[in-house]
Amino acid sequence: MREEILEILSGICPDVDFETETELIDGGVIESFDVIQIVTELMEHFNIEIDADDIEPENLNSLESICEMVRRKMGA
Amino acid sequence: MSIKSLTFLLFVFVVFCLYFAVQKTNLQKIVLLAAGLVCMAAMSSIAATALVILLALCIYGIALSMEKLIQKNGSAGTKTAKNQGRGLLLLGAFLDIGLLLYFKFFQNTYVLLQNYFATKHITLAELVVPIGLSYYTLALYGYLSDIYHKKYPAEKSFLLFLTYVTYFPAIIEGPINLYQKLAPQFRERHSFDGNRIVMGLQRCLWGYFKKVVIADRIGILVMGILQDDTAVGPLVFYAMVLYSFQIYTDFSGGIDVIMGISEILDIKLTENFRSPLVSSNVTEYWARWHMSLGAFMEKYIYYPIALNRKVMKISKKISNKYLSKAFSSALASFVVFVIVGIWHGTGWNYVVYGLYQAVFVAGAVLLTPLYKRMKGVLHIDDTTLKWRVFTILRTFVILVFGRILIKSANLQQAGALLQRMFADANPHALFDGTIYQFGLDYKNVFLMYACIALVIIVDILHERGVHFRELLMRQGIVFRYVIYYAAVFSIIVFGIYGPEFHSADFIYQAF
């Protein structure tokens, strides 16, 4: 799953190093427009529901936290 | 009580003394609460302060009831409980945002009512807008929404909640402080730290310098040119360029003072500016200017609209692949900027101001593929310094034209000002000494240019990671004190004071 998510993220923001970046939101690395693209792709790809109140730095700051959120949503 | 008055400085000094004299968390909180209430009463009125206390009490109560409802029904929650919760959220939002809208839009109705009763020899008390209403009403909406979404527990102590709402430096002109970032700090004990206090004072000095020496000086020339109908063409454009620097130094100067006072109190606030002068497009500008408003809008308006299931359903119906992806973001940006426009003031000119920004932001989202193709066709390398400078200047000019809308009282006046700007193309007036006839002599104009250059240089260096205050703290004591004295004396000597040079209130205080 991690690889699939990484592929989605890199497809949307090719210039960002998602393997090392840990402040994607707090550091302003990804803009709100990219966040929407990422979330929409994740919803479609994994068939999960992500709401506006899930858009928090702790859910999106790094590749690991995004994986964790997707895992949680898939289990829900 | 103005932030530039000696009374305010004395008030802040007394607050500092009391705050550090009592070394208990509870007492420090009480000092801040008392300071907030006194400041609010002095800057607006006792009745307005009472209104804010009432608002805080309502929001506090609604949040607790909402939480109780959630706890009683468990995490799943029945449909009725969910509806009740939503009902409470709507009630809170209605009271909170309703109060803001009332003062922004319907206060004239009250004035009419007052006039009517005056003819019957009945006097109605004057309704004064509580200071900082635009800032904490938004923060309170955020708080309610977060409690509704179970982000954190509702505040149990009304005293702490009121301390948060009335936190005195931030009621002056923001920033918009979200509950979870500011309120927990009032539970901690804040000790006296000499270095931190010096750093805070440095920031206050820089803020006062920007406001009193730069913004108020520019203000005289801007007003002089714009109020003189014979001034046309490039002179009007020049005044609007200066107005852009005025509004920036005025607002960011005020925020520096607020941040400086907070740093002394050991309270961390969200930064509100990140070198907005170097923005290369309108979207980037709004990510660097009034950042606390941007962050609020993003969290509570932009994402809920862009990720709304109905909006997403519509976007899926669009056949063009890119447009289908970009639609929800573009729509959300549009709504956000209309709200941002209205937040800045009442009147159609503010709505159009919001729409104007929205066109550039949403346009950038929708037209990205076209821009990319154009850059390819025209062989533009967007990594060069030349291109960056060009985009910064282009953005600045776009924003200068936008500000015609907020500098004018209404749309007609904005149209007339735009007409005046293009009524003549002769740039001579800018160089033949004409500009010295609008309130500032050549010495003052020269000083103004030097100060604007200083602000631009500081912004560029900030952007490159230079932290002036830390740099200064590493210097020898003699050098540091020379700088401090120079700063204090330049504020006293070059600051705009007195009846002739009437120093304006902070521009963003009015929002």
Side-chain angles (χ1 to χ4, degrees):
Chain A
M1 184 176 78
R2 191 177 183 277
E3 291 311 307
E4 286 171 69
I5 293 178
L6 183 61
E7 201 178 313
I8 290 174
L9 299 179
S10 306
I12 294 165
C13 306
D15 303 331
V16 180
D17 181 5
F18 287 98
E19 291 280 10
T20 55
E21 199 57 68
T22 55
E23 286 208 318
L24 291 170
I25 300 286
D26 285 336
V29 180
I30 48 175
E31 291 175 6
S32 47
F33 177 65
D34 298 326
V35 171
I36 298 297
Q37 303 308 306
I38 290 170
V39 167
T40 316
E41 285 280 326
L42 290 176
M43 283 199 279
E44 278 176 12
H45 191 89
F46 294 101
N47 200 18
I48 51 173
E49 293 274 305
I50 300 175
D51 293 314
D53 62 298
D54 293 314
I55 312 295
E56 290 285 345
E58 64 260 29
N59 286 335
L60 293 160
N61 255 342
S62 65
L63 173 63
E64 303 314 320
S65 55
I66 296 173
C67 290
E68 175 52 35
M69 177 180 69
V70 172
R71 227 172 273 134
R72 214 173 44 240
K73 294 281 173 188
M74 286 174 83
Chain B
M1 182 166 67
S2 150
I3 192 170
K4 298 183 317 276
S5 63
L6 274 177
T7 327
F8 182 77
L9 293 181
L10 199 69
F11 166 77
V12 173
F13 179 71
V14 171
V15 173
F16 287 160
C17 292
L18 289 172
Y19 186 76
F20 290 116
V22 294
Q23 279 292 312
K24 281 185 182 165
T25 320
N26 270 342
L27 293 177
Q28 282 188 328
K29 192 170 66 193
I30 303 253
V31 170
L32 287 184
L33 175 59
L37 295 175
V38 169
C39 192
M40 202 173 257
M43 286 185 169
S44 31
S45 74
I46 292 177
T49 311
L51 194 64
V52 174
I53 297 174
L54 192 66
L55 174 72
L57 192 62
C58 290
I59 303 297
Y60 166 80
I62 290 171
L64 279 176
S65 315
M66 217 152 51
E67 191 181 57
K68 220 178 249 174
L69 206 68
I70 295 165
Q71 278 167 356
K72 211 166 65 183
N73 290 280
S75 58
T78 60
K79 208 171 175 191
T80 334
K82 267 186 188 161
N83 284 340
Q84 282 173 337
R86 192 170 298 156
L88 282 173
L89 175 67
L90 286 176
L91 172 70
F94 175 76
L95 290 174
D96 181 51
I97 303 299
L99 192 69
L100 177 65
L101 292 178
Y102 171 78
F103 276 108
K104 276 200 183 280
F105 288 97
F106 304 111
Q107 214 190 355
N108 287 344
T109 323
Y110 187 80
V111 175
L112 287 179
L113 214 65
Q114 245 177 344
N115 291 343
Y116 172 76
F117 278 105
T119 58
K120 306 229 175 282
H121 304 287
I122 302 168
T123 355
L124 286 186
E126 200 183 333
L127 259 189
V128 182
V129 188
I131 185 146
L133 191 71
S134 301
Y135 302 98
Y136 46 73
T137 41
L138 291 194
L140 285 174
Y141 172 76
Y143 170 71
L144 277 179
S145 166
D146 287 351
I147 300 298
Y148 176 75
H149 288 111
K150 297 177 255 179
K151 295 272 161 102
Y152 43 79
E155 180 55 59
K156 305 285 178 296
S157 155
F158 180 63
L159 221 60
L160 191 135
F161 192 69
L162 195 59
T163 309
Y164 157 69
V165 176
T166 60
Y167 177 61
F168 84 93
I171 57 172
I172 299 162
E173 56 169 12
I176 297 160
N177 295 297
L178 297 183
Y179 168 86
Q180 72 271 37
K181 291 211 171 136
L182 179 58
Q185 298 184 59
F186 300 130
R187 288 198 189 89
E188 294 159 12
R189 196 172 69 86
H190 302 279
S191 50
F192 184 92
D193 174 350
N195 260 0
R196 196 191 66 229
I197 288 166
V198 171
M199 294 275 276
L201 286 174
Q202 285 173 3
R203 190 145 184 195
C204 287
L205 273 181
W206 176 232
Y208 275 118
F209 181 84
K210 280 204 272 189
K211 165 68 183 161
V212 186
V213 180
I214 314 180
D216 289 355
R217 177 166 274 99
I218 301 175
I220 294 166
L221 188 52
V222 170
M223 205 161 68
I225 295 175
L226 295 184
Q227 284 184 345
D228 186 341
D229 287 338
T230 59
V232 287
L235 257 180
V236 177
F237 182 72
Y238 169 77
M240 286 310 299
V241 168
L242 287 180
Y243 177 64
S244 297
F245 284 107
Q246 183 199 350
I247 199 164
Y248 174 47
T249 45
D250 185 290
F251 188 18
S252 69
I255 289 291
D256 281 328
V257 173
I258 290 159
M259 291 284 180
I261 294 173
S262 298
E263 197 167 345
I264 294 171
L265 296 167
D266 194 23
I267 301 288
K268 288 176 196 71
L269 303 182
T270 318
E271 283 294 340
N272 227 15
F273 294 95
R274 192 162 52 85
S275 312
L277 291 177
V278 298
S279 310
S280 43
N281 57 54
V282 178
T283 312
E284 191 188 340
Y285 166 78
W286 283 102
R288 291 168 172 273
W289 168 276
H290 206 171
M291 291 154 73
S292 63
L293 179 67
F296 174 87
M297 290 291 162
E298 192 175 86
K299 190 169 178 195
Y300 299 104
I301 313 280
Y302 178 86
Y303 287 132
I305 294 177
L307 290 174
N308 181 287
R309 297 294 177 257
K310 280 180 194 152
V311 173
M312 291 175 92
K313 218 180 249 176
I314 297 171
S315 65
K316 274 183 191 151
K317 285 184 186 156
I318 300 170
S319 53
N320 180 296
K321 205 177 161 198
Y322 180 79
L323 287 184
S324 165
K325 272 185 181 175
F327 173 77
S328 58
S329 294
L331 177 76
S333 306
F334 220 85
V335 176
V336 161
F337 280 100
V338 170
I339 296 175
V340 165
I342 298 168
W343 182 88
H344 278 84
T346 55
W348 285 103
N349 49 327
Y350 287 95
V351 176
V352 178
Y353 175 71
L355 287 171
Y356 179 80
Q357 309 289 334
V359 165
F360 288 101
V361 175
V365 169
L366 294 173
L367 301 175
T368 301
L370 183 72
Y371 289 151
K372 272 192 187 156
R373 222 174 302 149
M374 267 169 66
K375 273 184 202 164
V377 171
L378 299 170
H379 302 291
I380 292 169
D381 179 3
D382 58 10
T383 55
T384 59
L385 180 68
K386 243 189 323 195
W387 178 252
R388 176 128 172 90
V389 172
F390 165 73
T391 52
I392 288 173
L393 289 176
R394 177 195 62 187
T395 309
F396 189 78
V397 172
I398 290 172
L399 294 165
V400 163
F401 276 101
R403 291 199 180 99
I404 290 177
L405 288 156
I406 51 168
K407 187 64 188 153
S408 310
N410 51 47
L411 268 185
Q412 283 85 353
Q413 273 194 23
L417 192 60
L418 196 65
Q419 258 179 346
R420 253 176 75 191
M421 194 184 274
F422 290 103
D424 181 44
N426 190 350
H428 272 294
L430 296 178
F431 308 103
D432 64 3
T434 310
I435 50 171
Y436 306 131
Q437 294 162 13
F438 296 103
L440 290 187
D441 59 13
Y442 77 96
K443 277 186 214 154
N444 269 296
V445 170
F446 178 76
L447 181 62
M448 178 188 79
Y449 288 150
C451 288
I452 290 175
L454 179 71
V455 170
I456 295 173
I457 292 167
V458 167
D459 253 23
I460 293 172
L461 291 176
H462 258 168
E463 188 57 16
R464 296 194 165 186
V466 178
H467 298 288
F468 286 95
R469 291 187 298 150
E470 284 162 22
L471 210 67
L472 189 61
M473 289 303 268
R474 285 202 290 270
Q475 307 305 314
I477 189 160
V478 178
F479 181 77
R480 267 189 286 149
Y481 274 84
V482 167
I483 296 285
Y484 298 154
Y485 279 118
V488 172
F489 278 109
S490 59
I491 291 171
I492 295 170
V493 176
F494 299 123
I496 302 292
Y497 307 97
E500 234 175 275
F501 282 155
H502 183 71
S503 186
D505 282 334
F506 283 95
I507 296 173
Y508 264 70
Q509 200 166 310
F511 297 147

